[in-house]
Amino acid sequence: MKILGIETSCDETAAAVVENGTRILSNVVVSQIDIFAEYGGVIPEIAARSHLEAMMPVIDKALNDAGCTWDEIDAIAVTHAPGLLGSLLVGTLTARTLAILHDKPLYAVHHLKSHVYANWLNEMRADAELIFSDAGLEFLNTSYTGRPGEPPLRGEPLGAGRNIRVKNSNQTFMHPRETSSAARHPAFPLLALVISGGHTQILYMPEHNTFEIVGTTRDDAVGECFDKVAKILGLPYPGGPSIAKAALEGDPLKYKLPHPKVEGLDFSFSGLKTAVLRAVQKEVGVPISYPSHKLKELLSEQQVRDFAASFQKTAVDVLCEKLKMALEKYPDVQSVVVAGGVSANQALREALPEAYFPVPSLSGDNGAMVAAACYYEILSGVKPTDPYKLNIYPRISIEK
Ligand code: KG4
Ligand code: ZN
């Protein structure tokens, strides 16, 4: 079964064709990062308009790269929740129109579910180009049209000269951590740590397509916290990759930052951001009334690196702590999967060597994960939605 997945929930316009929920035939992502780097964050109105421009070329390219005609597409899957209202509208209206035009079943997929299912995407076309990086084996997507010459999506910097390119000519590629086909996919029941710019949740998944929220953030998402701390430190948007990069040369033990005091399995990241702010103010010797956007002028490069490293370590420690608590609460859990933009973080990957992570280029928003999630929805008996009625839900929970 070949599914066209469409994703426009935030600032990536993406489409992909995936076969049987695991095999990537194409994956096209146009990122608006360059536009929003200038503003220091996403402007919803601009995001929606950019999606409008990129949407059809991205879909055409995804079909072309996959070598598919519309006849060969079995279903269309689109993100309908949660996300930015205008952004979601562009993707869903496009998907609805195409479903009617080409008479295809249409499926509406929850964004967090899609992120989780990025962990099932472990095969790719035989002619995909592979690279080895510090983060493991990645595929250099021929159809990646984001930032030419840069690492795919928002993955960690790969380090010039250290990558070995491999042209994989005649076999199907599998996820590097998999040794036998029986162990190819995470086993149920599992815990999923979904960490992105908009969400921080631990989900319990007894089987495919069934989610129970075990813990959630009470305020900011962890990715949002990376973005806000980066702003304080004068590092560019998006904050996650720039903090990870600065942290490489920083001392993670230089500044002691308190762990948020939230009982149980919920998270709170707004306090951690404030703790960084206070620590920076103290370090440079200004009162708390000092304008935060001017702090960066008073920090040395090394101080920025040390703050980045100390903050990153604290955020990673907090995530791991809660995950450990969740594992104690659910002793039947067979595997842990990590997903969402922040799952690209290398320090987190190192802290959780037993967990499943998507290949870094699939950590951020993409269409392939939408198609993968849709495939497992279909296997679970989910029926297509009415293309004339499909609605968007900017804030709906995964449990609904
Ligand atoms: O999943 P995603 O692409 O979009 C949302 O659904 O929100 O996640 C974006 C978030 C941003 O906050 C970004 O700073 C963060 O993921 N991120 C990272 C890294 N790469 C992206 N955070 C930490 N380390 C990274 N390497
Ligand atoms: Zn996302």
Side-chain angles (χ1 to χ4, degrees):
M1 179 183 279
K2 289 186 183 127
I3 301 178
L4 171 70
I6 298 173
E7 154 64 37
T8 62
S9 67
C10 189
D11 60 346
E12 259 101 25
T13 316
V17 180
V18 173
E19 194 171 20
N20 297 335
T22 63
R23 190 161 182 256
I24 299 173
L25 300 184
S26 67
N27 186 39
V28 184
V29 181
V30 170
S31 170
Q32 302 173 15
I33 282 178
D34 291 347
I35 304 173
F36 297 123
E38 280 174 37
Y39 297 96
V42 178
I43 316 274
E45 172 65 18
I46 297 178
R49 272 189 275 162
S50 308
H51 284 310
L52 213 45
E53 280 171 28
M55 188 78 269
M56 280 320 294
V58 163
I59 291 173
D60 283 345
K61 186 155 172 54
L63 289 171
N64 258 329
D65 287 357
C68 275
T69 61
W70 274 106
D71 281 349
E72 292 165 87
I73 296 294
D74 297 297
I76 300 175
V78 65
T79 312
H80 74 135
L84 300 172
L85 188 143
S87 293
L88 288 169
L89 268 179
V90 175
T92 51
L93 283 169
T94 306
R96 290 168 63 180
T97 309
L98 291 171
I100 294 165
L101 202 64
H102 297 286
D103 195 19
K104 302 290 174 189
L106 175 65
Y107 293 84
V109 183
H110 191 282
H111 187 60
L112 296 197
K113 191 187 285 187
S114 303
H115 270 305
V116 170
Y117 276 100
N119 282 286
W120 270 259
L121 291 164
N122 58 10
E123 299 174 62
M124 66 190 67
R125 262 183 26 205
D127 60 351
E129 269 194 89
L130 304 181
I131 55 165
F132 286 102
S133 74
D134 293 346
L137 194 53
E138 290 203 52
F139 68 99
L140 247 200
N141 217 313
T142 46
S143 55
Y144 175 72
T145 52
R147 294 173 292 173
E150 297 239 330
L153 295 185
R154 300 173 180 180
E156 300 287 338
L158 298 179
R162 278 182 293 172
N163 307 326
I164 311 155
R165 273 164 179 261
V166 181
K167 187 86 177 164
N168 191 8
S169 53
N170 54 8
Q171 87 227 57
T172 306
F173 165 71
M174 276 197 216
H175 195 287
R177 64 182 302 123
E178 313 302 357
T179 47
S180 72
S181 60
R184 267 173 56 185
H185 292 143
F188 293 105
L190 61 80
L191 281 178
L193 175 66
V194 185
I195 40 180
S196 72
H199 300 272
T200 306
Q201 289 191 330
I202 299 179
L203 306 168
Y204 177 71
M205 254 181 109
E207 57 184 340
H208 275 301
N209 201 37
T210 311
F211 299 86
E212 181 191 317
I213 298 174
V214 172
T216 193
T217 183
R218 298 203 179 156
D219 39 58
D220 293 355
V222 60
E224 191 180 353
C225 190
F226 269 86
D227 295 338
K228 287 177 174 171
V229 167
K231 231 176 188 171
I232 295 171
L233 300 177
L235 295 168
Y237 174 87
S242 37
I243 285 199
K245 192 169 169 220
L248 289 173
E249 289 168 70
D251 174 3
L253 302 174
K254 182 74 193 275
Y255 303 104
K256 292 266 171 303
L257 299 164
H259 285 202
K261 287 190 185 58
V262 187
E263 291 199 3
L265 291 163
D266 280 350
F267 299 91
S268 161
F269 280 100
S270 121
L272 180 55
K273 169 208 66 192
T274 310
V276 174
L277 179 64
R278 296 288 174 256
V280 171
Q281 288 164 334
K282 188 165 165 229
E283 179 75 6
V284 299
V286 298
I288 59 171
S289 56
Y290 193 83
S292 62
H293 67 274
K294 287 192 163 173
L295 284 169
K296 54 177 185 260
E297 295 158 18
L298 305 175
L299 286 165
S300 72
E301 249 178 70
Q302 194 52 44
Q303 281 171 320
V304 168
R305 293 177 188 141
D306 291 342
F307 271 114
S310 302
F311 160 71
Q312 177 175 263
K313 177 180 165 27
T314 311
V316 166
D317 285 351
V318 169
L319 292 172
C320 293
E321 233 166 64
K322 294 282 172 168
L323 195 54
K324 194 164 160 258
M325 284 169 67
L327 280 166
E328 282 160 13
K329 188 173 169 191
Y330 293 89
D332 60 336
V333 158
Q334 300 297 307
S335 50
V336 170
V337 310
V338 189
V342 183
S343 72
N345 188 275
Q346 189 57 27
L348 182 67
R349 285 172 183 252
E350 280 160 20
L352 295 171
E354 309 277 292
Y356 284 81
F357 283 82
V359 284
S361 53
L362 296 174
S363 282
D365 294 344
N366 63 82
M369 68 186 192
V370 183
C374 173
Y375 176 78
Y376 287 98
E377 278 193 356
I378 294 171
L379 288 196
S380 309
V382 173
K383 297 283 172 252
T385 186
D386 182 344
Y388 290 95
K389 290 189 180 150
L390 168 64
N391 215 337
I392 56 159
Y393 300 93
R395 301 190 71 84
I396 203 167
S397 152
I398 194 170
E399 276 181 342
K400 293 279 151 10

